Amino acid sequence: MSMETWLAFFAACWVISLSPGAGAIASMSSGLQYGFWRGYWNALGLQLGLIVQIAIIAAGVGAILAASATAFQVIKWFGVAYLVYLAYRQWRALPMDMSEESAVRPIGKPLSLVFRGFLVNVSNPKALVFMLAVLPQFINPHQPLLAQYVAITVTMISVDMLVMAGYTGLASKVLRLLRTPKQQKRLNRTFAGLFIGAATFLATLRRAPL
């Protein structure tokens, strides 16, 4: 993986991780209930689920890309369309109920939070489809795939751990400031714009030459 490709993927990781989703909601819920240090165990579980999803993608997508330029274009434009769809859903999203009364019951042990975070990611088909649409854009099928997927995994997990720390800390300290429907609507539309930006970026990518 070239430095230019890695930097592009690094930037994409921030957009992907910062965009609200099941993982972000789980992190905010954990921070709200247990505080930062205890609630952050949830983030470890999220990363374990992420590793499983990347492994699933790495097992088959590289061969498809190497065999067919058409497949690359189909996956790329599917990714663009999916990002636009997520932008639409984010724009239309209703405010979330983040009140303490709506939170789930406290969990006794840190390993229970790890397992809950793992289930959030590993059982989320939308997250798997999202990565299937995005990750191949940064893979050169004519270079060793293992090293590229290792770099992708380490980068994505490192960024996501930092972002989930921010969501967990935000919830544990100042989440009450973002509870009004008007504030949440503004936040949703901001992230809808980020999805459109990511879709535009993907549309400009080209397959590595043979």
Side-chain angles (χ1 to χ4, degrees):
M1 178 180 290
S2 68
M3 179 59 67
E4 180 182 0
T5 300
W6 180 82
L7 288 174
F9 180 70
F10 181 68
C13 283
W14 283 99
V15 175
I16 294 168
S17 292
L18 284 168
S19 302
I25 294 173
S27 293
M28 288 188 287
S29 175
S30 297
L32 182 65
Q33 295 175 75
Y34 313 114
F36 177 77
W37 293 110
R38 190 174 185 83
Y40 195 54
W41 284 97
N42 171 81
L44 177 58
L46 291 173
Q47 306 320 309
L48 293 176
L50 184 62
I51 290 172
V52 171
Q53 291 180 327
I54 293 175
I56 292 172
I57 293 170
V61 173
I64 296 173
L65 291 178
S68 173
T70 301
F72 180 91
Q73 292 297 322
V74 169
I75 292 174
K76 182 179 84 168
W77 289 108
F78 171 77
V80 172
Y82 186 66
L83 287 169
V84 172
Y85 166 75
L86 288 180
Y88 170 77
R89 290 293 300 272
Q90 195 68 52
W91 185 276
R92 303 267 302 182
L94 298 175
M96 297 180 296
D97 181 5
M98 294 299 296
S99 64
E100 294 185 18
E101 291 77 9
S102 68
V104 298
R105 293 179 298 174
I107 296 177
K109 298 179 180 180
L111 286 180
S112 297
L113 277 171
V114 173
F115 185 63
R116 188 177 76 170
F118 173 78
L119 288 180
V120 166
N121 262 358
V122 82
S123 65
N124 185 357
K126 289 185 179 180
L128 185 61
V129 171
F130 182 91
M131 287 194 293
L132 177 62
V134 173
L135 293 190
Q137 322 304 329
F138 301 95
I139 294 293
N140 185 340
H142 311 296
Q143 294 181 0
L145 295 176
L146 179 59
Q148 294 182 77
Y149 276 109
V150 168
I152 278 175
T153 302
V154 171
T155 302
M156 201 166 194
I157 287 176
S158 298
V159 171
D160 203 54
M161 288 290 285
L162 289 173
V163 172
M164 293 306 114
Y167 276 126
T168 306
L170 174 69
S172 67
K173 299 295 183 182
V174 297
L175 188 60
R176 289 178 177 81
L177 299 178
L178 301 174
R179 283 182 172 176
T180 68
K182 184 176 181 179
Q183 290 171 327
Q184 291 188 34
K185 185 175 181 180
R186 288 176 179 173
L187 185 64
N188 284 334
R189 293 190 171 183
T190 296
F191 281 112
L194 291 175
F195 275 125
I196 292 296
T200 302
F201 173 75
L202 283 184
T204 66
L205 291 177
R206 297 292 182 267
R207 185 172 181 264
L210 294 172

